[in-house]
């Protein structure tokens, strides 16, 4: 399936409630075109050390199955959780704090979240689908 912002919103809301007890503030949700990075979490820190703007983005270049998409979104939500509540603790983006939360979610909910995303079995969306998606979402540029 081709991912949409609405899908990301639904996944974020469901899992924020089910696992994170609605503790995560909703970030901006976006789509990107990378064929090597399926998902990413970006944030900006202000002069007081607080997160000001954050964004979870997922690649629209893949034909996602639901389970893999949820696992990638959860991976990015774990980044948000670690940065929001543990302030990274200096152990890197996939350090002990990240792995601790990842292992709890995997064990409690039967998920398959990993540190490295395996893209070998992912089918890419054909360029015609990407072009159609771009045209349907960017008519104001025409």
């Amino acid at each position: 399936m081709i991912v949409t912002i609405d899908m990301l919103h639904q996944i974020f809301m469901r899992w924020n409630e089910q696992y994170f007890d609605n503790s995560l503030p909703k970030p901006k949700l976006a789509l990107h075109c990378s064929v090597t990075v399926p998902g990413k979490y970006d944030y900006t820190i202000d002069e007081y050390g607080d997160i000001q703007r954050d964004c979870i983005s997922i690649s629209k270049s893949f034909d996602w199955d639901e389970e893999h998409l949820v696992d990638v979104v959860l991976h990015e939500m774990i980044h948000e959780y670690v940065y929001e509540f543990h302030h990274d603790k200096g152990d890197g983006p996939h350090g002990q704090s990240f792995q601790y939360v990842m292992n709890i979610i995997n064990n409690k909910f039967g998920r398959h979240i990993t540190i490295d995303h395996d893209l070998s079995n992912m089918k890419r969306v054909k360029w015609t689908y990407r072009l159609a998606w771009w045209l349907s979402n960017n008519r104001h540029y025409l």
Side-chain angles (χ1 to χ4, degrees), residues 74-111:
L74 281 169
H75 175 111
E76 305 313 326
M77 290 174 74
I78 294 169
H79 281 300
E80 181 181 8
Y81 180 83
V82 169
Y83 284 105
E84 187 75 35
F85 298 106
H86 296 277
H87 303 290
D88 191 25
K89 300 223 181 203
D91 63 358
H94 296 117
Q96 290 178 340
S97 300
F98 181 94
Q99 291 179 44
Y100 176 78
V101 176
M102 178 185 74
N103 289 331
I104 289 174
I105 294 174
N106 282 340
N107 293 332
K108 185 173 181 179
F109 295 103
R111 302 304 315 178

Side-chain angles (χ1 to χ4, degrees), residues 48-95:
Y48 304 107
D50 296 324
I51 295 175
Q52 286 301 302
R53 293 183 306 272
D54 57 347
C55 177
I56 290 176
S57 64
I58 302 297
S59 178
K60 61 186 174 197
S61 296
F62 296 103
D63 184 6
W64 292 95
D65 64 75
E66 185 175 353
E67 291 300 308
H68 198 183
L69 178 60
V70 170
D71 285 343
V72 170
V73 173
L74 281 169
H75 175 111
E76 305 313 326
M77 290 174 74
I78 294 169
H79 281 300
E80 181 181 8
Y81 180 83
V82 169
Y83 284 105
E84 187 75 35
F85 298 106
H86 296 277
H87 303 290
D88 191 25
K89 300 223 181 203
D91 63 358
H94 296 117

